[in-house]
Amino acid sequence: MTELIENLDTVQETDVTLNVNGQTWQGSIPVEETLLDCLRRRVALTGTKRGCESEVCGACTVLVDGVPISSCSYLAFEADGKQVLTVEGLATGEELHPLQAAFARNGAAQCGYCTPGQLMAAYALLQAHADPTYEQMGHFLDGNVCRCGCYPSIATAIREAAAALRTTR
Amino acid sequence: MLRPFKVIHPGTAPDAVGELVRLGDQAKVYAGGAELILLMRHGILQADCLVDVKRIPELHGIQAHNGTIHIGAGVTHREIENDPLVRERLPALADAEGHIGNVRVRAQGTLGGNLCFADPHADPPTALLAYGADVQVWGRTGERAIPIDKFLVGTYETALEPEDIVTRIDVPVLPDGWRASFQRIERFQRPTVNTAVAARVQDGHIAGVRLVAGCVGPRATRLTELENRIQGQALADVSRTLAQSDAYLTEMLDPVDDLLGSASYKIHVTRVLLQRALGEACGIPNGAHA
């Protein structure tokens, strides 16, 4: 039975070149490795969180070529040659991104575990809608669960960040 | 951590079918991975090899041909919900696609993958039944079309052979004068009940109608007998007919009590969502309510 697939006992590794937050990362990874594990263990960026591992909670949200995905269920080899943006890529040096600043100012986090995912989903939202309605916020963020229940503050923070970004553009 | 597996990347539909024949039940088709990776992680499904169909060019793109919209099986829900052609010509499908899971699931999951997975709690089959779509399939004997009503069989069950792959979904645009509507209610990012209706109104009467209910039974279902009762009725009488349809809906949809609600609750919601969808499709403000 194992003859059909060559070398079943060996791991199928594949060479990938990722652009993570503007920096190139090259390496060989097993095909079954998720982008979440690759980012946390190999690229050593632990801002992206492991949550439900079922594409429901949004804690592991990162952007691949500008599109939000669940990195827990996205095979890392699929990101080969693509731009990956994680929460570590939002700030410019010591200067927080307007979304991060607005989240901090509004207390849009209590335990903070979901916050990296909330920020990445909000970032994708603002790329699509510079002045988002609450309905548009829901469309992008209803898959980002906050068990502390910070949703009103998150919504306020996003509105403030959107306004700040519109004036600087 | 996922149990190790291999991935192969056939470049054409016949090559993919050839690999599935060669590998047999060791292999699974990998389209978007939104459902497959989940099931593999939770140990519900195991595969030694994934046959990645994403790199097959003919599984991509959305095009119009003679009043039919051809949607590649590998097109993501996100691409479909945002596609100008789908939004304009197939608005109820765009609506259904825009409600799937969450923004990340829509970015990863594909229409073909969703149909092949055949989760009873899915949105696209309900809309596709109202449009009368065909599913294009490559298999051992070449290409064939399966009407969506034949394609959907049961819970996690389709009319596909193990070595078949879906290449395209052909969705006819509704004839002039017809309008469609998709409605749903949800819990936990999945639909509890959804409905889709296509209808044409002439001189205040129903001149044509298709009614579909999803998520209650093992698969989305056309409600032809109820369609026949409504056909030709004055709009003012339709709500009464729908209000008396619970026994028929229960017989057709075979509802069960579960965490999403009791059987009687699901039938009630199905009827309300049929009324809303019919109301929108017929241009009646506030829906076709009794």
Side-chain angles (χ1 to χ4, degrees):
Chain A
M1 173 177 157
T2 54
E3 288 166 12
L4 288 174
I5 302 170
E6 302 76 11
N7 303 319
L8 188 68
D9 295 332
T10 63
V11 173
Q12 182 184 345
E13 296 244 344
T14 183
D15 292 328
V16 295
T17 303
L18 311 181
N19 183 308
V20 184
N21 303 331
Q23 300 206 318
T24 301
W25 185 87
Q26 279 183 310
S28 186
I29 56 166
V31 289
E32 72 273 12
E33 184 160 304
T34 63
L35 185 58
L36 175 68
D37 286 328
C38 183
L39 288 170
R40 289 181 60 88
R41 294 177 183 182
R42 296 181 198 268
V43 192
L45 294 176
T46 55
T48 306
K49 302 304 180 205
R50 187 187 310 278
C52 68
E53 293 195 284
S54 300
E55 303 164 34
V56 173
C57 78
C60 70
T61 306
V62 301
L63 308 194
V64 175
D65 280 352
V67 177
I69 54 99
S70 297
S71 62
C72 71
S73 302
Y74 183 96
L75 298 178
F77 79 81
E78 298 277 13
D80 183 31
K82 294 179 179 165
Q83 312 275 331
V84 179
L85 186 67
T86 73
V87 70
E88 289 92 343
L90 291 183
T92 309
E94 292 296 304
E95 190 191 340
L96 293 179
H97 185 275
L99 271 169
Q100 294 170 303
F103 266 60
R105 198 166 54 240
N106 286 282
Q110 194 176 114
C111 80
Y113 198 79
C114 72
T115 310
Q118 303 281 1
L119 285 166
M120 299 319 292
Y123 185 91
L125 164 73
L126 297 187
Q127 295 295 111
H129 305 287
D131 188 9
T133 62
Y134 282 104
E135 192 184 355
Q136 289 163 338
M137 276 190 214
H139 200 66
F140 274 77
L141 276 96
D142 63 2
N144 286 81
V145 176
C146 172
R147 290 292 81 161
C148 304
C150 295
Y151 301 112
S153 321
I154 291 170
T156 304
I158 292 171
R159 301 276 291 178
E160 286 186 15
L165 283 163
R166 287 199 304 278
T167 57
T168 57
R169 265 173 195 166
Chain B
M1 295 284 281
L2 286 158
R3 179 175 162 272
F5 52 76
K6 315 279 178 183
V7 181
I8 49 177
H9 310 282
T12 67
D15 284 353
V17 171
E19 293 291 358
L20 289 169
V21 170
R22 183 172 75 89
L23 296 166
D25 59 11
Q26 296 180 87
K28 292 278 179 258
V29 177
Y30 171 63
E35 304 278 15
L36 183 66
I37 301 298
L38 216 60
L39 292 187
M40 290 173 70
R41 162 165 312 108
H42 295 299
I44 295 164
L45 194 148
Q46 294 194 340
D48 294 328
C49 186
L50 303 188
V51 177
D52 176 10
V53 296
K54 267 202 288 267
R55 301 183 188 181
I56 301 174
E58 66 183 276
L59 265 64
H60 293 278
I62 300 175
Q63 277 125 22
H65 286 288
N66 302 326
T68 297
I69 310 297
H70 295 198
I71 303 174
V75 178
T76 64
H77 303 302
R78 180 191 168 89
E79 291 172 299
I80 297 170
E81 71 162 311
N82 292 319
D83 185 80
L85 195 60
V86 176
R87 291 172 76 96
E88 189 202 325
R89 315 281 303 271
L90 306 169
L93 178 63
D95 201 9
E97 290 283 316
H99 279 92
I100 292 170
N102 55 52
V103 69
R104 305 178 309 277
V105 168
R106 293 193 291 275
Q108 205 177 337
T110 61
L111 179 55
N114 181 285
L115 293 179
C116 293
F117 188 55
D119 186 332
H121 285 271
D123 293 304
T126 305
L128 291 175
L129 269 168
Y131 282 109
D134 281 333
V135 181
Q136 293 289 336
V137 174
W138 256 100
R140 272 176 203 264
T141 55
E143 200 169 18
R144 68 189 193 278
I146 306 177
I148 184 74
D149 201 22
K150 295 270 186 292
F151 181 89
L152 303 169
V153 174
T155 303
Y156 305 114
E157 198 184 349
T158 68
L160 292 178
E161 300 296 329
E163 66 278 5
D164 285 340
I165 65 160
V166 173
T167 53
R168 208 174 70 215
I169 295 86
D170 293 346
V171 193
V173 173
L174 292 171
D176 282 348
W178 285 71
R179 277 169 47 178
S181 170
F182 174 84
Q183 303 284 328
R184 86 167 206 173
I185 64 158
E186 65 178 56
R187 293 287 314 273
F188 316 124
Q189 304 177 14
R190 293 177 100 85
T192 301
V193 172
N194 57 28
T195 63
V197 169
R200 184 169 76 90
V201 177
Q202 199 168 21
D203 305 326
H205 289 70
I206 300 286
V209 65
R210 300 174 196 160
L211 306 172
V212 186
C215 306
V216 178
R219 47 155 286 188
T221 308
R222 264 289 285 273
L223 305 164
T224 44
E225 198 177 306
L226 191 55
E227 291 172 7
N228 292 339
R229 280 185 228 164
I230 288 172
Q231 175 73 30
Q233 282 196 334
L235 289 181
D237 297 331
V238 167
S239 60
R240 201 178 319 124
T241 307
L242 281 174
Q244 293 164 352
S245 65
D246 283 11
Y248 168 72
L249 292 176
T250 303
E251 184 195 324
M252 285 298 289
L253 302 176
D254 199 15
V256 292
D257 299 332
D258 61 21
L259 287 174
L260 295 172
S262 66
S264 62
Y265 165 79
K266 291 180 196 173
I267 292 300
H268 175 83
V269 173
T270 299
R271 174 164 50 75
V272 170
L273 294 188
L274 281 172
Q275 286 167 331
R276 282 185 197 165
L278 190 63
E280 187 177 83
C282 296
I284 307 170
N286 304 321
H289 283 285

